[in-house]
């Protein structure tokens, strides 16, 4: 079982992932929580390059690096864990690349799609929770910390990312559940649990 969380910075993914993990563990699931980019030694190094290095990257390099980090995590950790019957909760997956590098940076969406396919080799989340927040909520929630390199891209970029996510969610309603991320965190957790309870086939 693969569950992914998506949304712009400050949408509350981290909190919701923690709450969901506790709930699934209570249900007796063997839960593994991971984040992208990251989750392997190699992918964490790429994460550092992408988010904190002083090098100026082209958008194409950025795309390749996100995908390289993904290949490593999928092949070495996610696929083996799923084979062992674990429930994997993933903080960001290929929808992030479609939203940020495709819609945000403006790289041709068909190329991003092919790159995503190459990286995951057929792996698809059973369910994806998209926590939808407007830009001002993102800024309010993030003002206490230093933005990473991607987060410094500016308002117009983030507006395209938000619209991109909404379009991705619209295109795949059977997989992606959109939730208003400005709601109170317990309320969001209740909604997520309800959806999970209602999908016995999947869980
Ligand atoms: P994240 O770990 O969510 O950062 P934070 O905890 O600071 O919110 O994601 C790291 C950044 O990488 C985030 O700004 C989104 C970006 N990103 C992409 O641009 N493309 C991708 O494919 C992924 C996975 C992340």
């Amino acid at each position: 079982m693969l569950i992914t969380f998506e949304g712009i910075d400050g949408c509350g993914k981290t909190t919701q992932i923690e709450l969901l993990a506790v709930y699934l563990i209570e249900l007796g699931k063997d839960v593994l929580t991971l984040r992208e980019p990251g989750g392997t030694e190699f992918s964490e190094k790429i994460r550092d390059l992408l988010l904190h290095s002083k090098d100026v990257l082209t958008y194409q390099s950025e795309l390749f690096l996100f995908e390289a980090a993904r290949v490593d995590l999928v092949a070495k950790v996610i696929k083996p864990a799923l084979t062992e019957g674990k429930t994997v909760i993933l903080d960001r997956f290929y929808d992030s690349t479609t939203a940020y590098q495709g819609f945000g940076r403006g790289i041709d969406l068909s190329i991003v799609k092919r790159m995503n396919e190459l990286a995951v080799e057929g792996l698809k989340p059973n369910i994806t929770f998209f926590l939808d927040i407007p830009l001002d909520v993102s800024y309010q929630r993030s003002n206490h910390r230093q933005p990473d390199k991607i987060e410094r891209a500016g308002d117009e970029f983030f507006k395209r990312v938000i619209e991109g996510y909404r379009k991705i969610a619209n295109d795949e309603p059977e997989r992606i559940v959109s939730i208003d991320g400005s709601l109170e965190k317990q309320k969001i957790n209740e909604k997520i649990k309800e959806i999970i309870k209602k999908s016995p086939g999947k869980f």
Side-chain angles (χ1 to χ4, degrees), residues 58-203:
T58 64
Y59 296 167
Q60 291 94 323
S61 296
E62 193 181 271
L63 172 64
F64 281 117
L65 287 173
F66 278 116
E67 297 294 4
R70 178 163 302 136
V71 173
D72 207 57
L73 181 67
V74 166
K76 290 183 185 161
V77 183
I78 300 179
K79 283 193 172 172
L82 293 173
T83 305
E84 284 168 25
K86 292 198 168 111
T87 300
V88 178
I89 309 179
L90 189 49
D91 186 341
R92 299 191 182 280
F93 198 33
Y94 55 76
D95 297 316
S96 283
T97 316
T98 309
Y100 282 76
Q101 279 63 53
F103 287 95
R105 298 299 200 205
I107 298 176
D108 188 309
L109 289 172
S110 61
I111 293 176
V112 175
K113 187 162 184 273
R114 293 295 303 279
M115 300 268 298
N116 283 338
E117 284 167 1
L118 184 66
V120 306
E121 292 187 303
L123 183 64
K124 192 174 162 184
N126 297 84
I127 191 155
T128 297
F129 293 103
F130 163 45
L131 304 182
D132 191 356
I133 52 164
L135 197 53
D136 53 336
V137 174
S138 170
Y139 285 146
Q140 280 160 26
R141 290 182 181 173
S142 318
N143 66 3
H144 55 282
R145 60 178 182 80
Q146 284 287 90
D148 64 46
K149 275 174 78 168
I150 310 266
E151 288 162 2
R152 281 185 234 124
D155 282 15
E156 290 311 311
F157 171 80
F158 274 108
K159 282 182 193 158
R160 290 195 298 276
V161 173
I162 294 170
E163 283 314 310
Y165 265 133
R166 290 178 181 158
K167 186 157 189 323
I168 296 166
N170 255 324
D171 288 348
E172 276 189 79
E174 70 294 343
R175 170 173 71 88
I176 305 177
V177 179
S178 299
I179 297 178
D180 179 355
S182 23
L183 295 171
E184 208 268 315
K185 68 178 178 192
Q186 287 304 339
K187 204 161 182 178
I188 297 176
N189 176 241
E190 287 307 319
K191 278 179 185 276
I192 290 173
K193 287 195 297 196
E194 275 310 305
I195 289 157
I196 285 189
K197 276 185 218 151
K198 275 193 210 144
S199 348
K202 285 182 180 169
F203 297 92

